[in-house]
Amino acid sequence: MEIWINPACSKCRSALTLLDAEGAEYTVRRYLEDVPDEDEIRAVLDRLGLEPWDITRTQEAAAGELGLEEWPRDASARDRWIAALAGHPKLIQRPIITADDGTALVARSEDAVREALSHSRR
């Protein structure tokens, strides 16, 4: 499995601690340095079953600068949201775990990390 993290994020550090405690095999992607492109974001959204606005950190300064609160949240604006996430990766909710079975989760809780583990152990 792969986990997208920001090392400064306490929820990311907690997720890593739990993965290590469970002996999970995973790859870390520091997505602020190794920024996902638009196609990667689309693929993760498909795996998550979510839309780009669902994984956008709207309280970040960049969200305010872009005026995201005013953007439509529909199919016509989907590509615009994805471009914003690729251009401003700090806007991406974290951590995101992509499991070996093709699923993905926004793993902000211990339960979500455990669910990702169960998907990777199937």
Side-chain angles (χ1 to χ4, degrees), residues 86-104:
H88 305 273
K90 236 182 170 172
L91 294 174
I92 299 172
Q93 193 62 260
R94 59 191 183 249
I96 293 176
I97 297 177
T98 54
D100 296 339
D101 70 353
T103 61

Side-chain angles (χ1 to χ4, degrees), residues 45-102:
L45 287 168
D46 289 346
R47 291 173 78 171
L48 288 166
L50 296 173
E51 293 297 334
W53 45 86
D54 296 326
I55 66 162
T56 300
R57 297 172 50 85
T58 57
Q59 302 307 311
E60 290 289 334
E65 292 164 14
L66 293 169
L68 291 182
E69 288 295 326
E70 307 302 317
W71 290 15
R73 294 179 182 216
D74 59 30
S76 70
R78 189 172 200 263
D79 287 342
R80 183 178 180 195
W81 281 87
I82 291 169
L85 293 173
H88 305 273
K90 236 182 170 172
L91 294 174
I92 299 172
Q93 193 62 260
R94 59 191 183 249
I96 293 176
I97 297 177
T98 54
D100 296 339
D101 70 353

